[in-house]
């Protein structure tokens, strides 16, 4: 008698428990898909932001390297060619909806090494159509801090201000200032 009732107990328990896991499995499946989609979107957003930062770094650092390699003081201090260091040794800070940039990256030459520091701004719209286009940053501040090794007497750290419109002090002709007379003297 026990044998006859035993299979009926299994059928009852299996049919009651079969309907419950199907509903739970459907809700778990929907939950897993929602979490997977959210993680995928988050990862994609972070990746796009990183690519945008890398494009900003590349644009600003290329412009800064162009100016630094043309500056005679930099070339005299560390030699030619002036080479940009690896991107992973750089620091980049963006602000004001990616319109303001502060960047520091390493440079080197045959006679020494150092860092270039820049601050730049850009103008323009922030629409999605311009997300992947190159941005024209205007460099406001660009200076180089260089370390030139040598023996103890010639070792030196040099800070050089690099600017477009201001000639370097070493290439500026020395002229006397015109004398100004004060009102009390004649």
């Amino acid at each position: 008698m026990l044998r006859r009732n035993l299979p009926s107990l299994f059928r009852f328990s299996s049919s009651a428990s079969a309907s419950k896991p199907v509903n739970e499995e459907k809700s778990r499946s929907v939950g897993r898909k929602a979490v997977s989609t959210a993680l995928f979107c988050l990862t994609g957003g972070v990746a796009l932001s990183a690519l945008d930062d890398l494009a900003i770094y590349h644009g600003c650092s290329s412009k800064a390297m162009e100016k630094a390699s043309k500056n005679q003081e930099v070339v005299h201090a560390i030699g030619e060619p002036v080479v940009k260091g690896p991107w992973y040794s750089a620091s980049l800070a963006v602000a004001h909806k990616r319109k303001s940039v502060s960047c520091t990256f390493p440079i080197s030459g045959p006679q020494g090494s150092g860092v270039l520091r820049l601050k730049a701004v850009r103008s323009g719209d922030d629409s999605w159509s311009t997300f992947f286009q190159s941005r024209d940053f205007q460099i406001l501040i660009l200076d180089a801090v260089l370390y030139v090794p040598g023996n103890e007497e010639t070792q030196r750290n040099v800070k050089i201000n690099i600017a477009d419109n201001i000639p370097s002090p070493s290439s500026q002709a020395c002229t006397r200032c015109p004398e100004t007379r004060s009102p009390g003297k004649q």
Side-chain angles (χ1 to χ4, degrees), residues 4-66:
R4 284 186 202 167
N5 292 336
L6 198 55
S8 66
L9 286 174
F10 286 128
R11 267 187 266 150
F12 176 72
S13 63
S14 64
S15 65
S17 63
S19 64
K20 188 176 181 182
V22 170
N23 291 335
E24 285 179 14
E25 191 62 36
K26 285 183 182 178
S27 65
R28 284 184 186 165
S29 176
V30 171
R32 286 180 185 153
K33 287 179 183 178
V35 169
S36 297
T37 303
L39 286 175
F40 182 73
C41 290
L42 180 67
T43 303
V46 169
L48 280 176
S49 177
L51 285 174
D52 191 38
D53 287 350
L54 190 60
I56 290 170
Y57 165 74
H58 179 69
C60 289
S61 65
S62 296
K63 201 177 248 191
M65 280 300 295
E66 183 180 316

Side-chain angles (χ1 to χ4, degrees), residues 142-183:
L142 177 61
D143 58 290
V145 179
L146 307 172
Y147 172 71
V148 183
N151 59 24
E152 290 184 24
E153 292 109 30
T154 61
Q155 233 178 47
R156 61 191 172 124
N157 290 324
V158 180
K159 182 178 177 185
I160 300 170
N161 185 12
I162 304 168
D164 279 342
N165 53 1
I166 303 171
S168 63
S170 62
S171 65
Q172 226 173 1
C174 183
T175 58
R176 285 192 88 162
C177 296
E179 270 188 48
T180 58
R181 292 189 168 167
S182 58

Side-chain angles (χ1 to χ4, degrees), residues 46-112:
V46 169
L48 280 176
S49 177
L51 285 174
D52 191 38
D53 287 350
L54 190 60
I56 290 170
Y57 165 74
H58 179 69
C60 289
S61 65
S62 296
K63 201 177 248 191
M65 280 300 295
E66 183 180 316
K67 291 180 182 184
S69 61
K70 290 179 183 177
N71 187 288
Q72 292 302 315
E73 291 177 87
V74 172
V75 170
H76 179 70
I78 63 172
E80 226 174 349
V82 178
V83 180
K84 180 172 44 171
W87 63 268
Y88 52 82
S89 295
S91 68
L92 178 72
V94 292
H96 300 91
K97 296 182 182 179
R98 301 193 179 283
K99 291 190 178 213
S100 175
V101 175
S102 177
C103 183
T104 303
F105 60 93
I107 60 170
S108 63
Q111 300 168 357

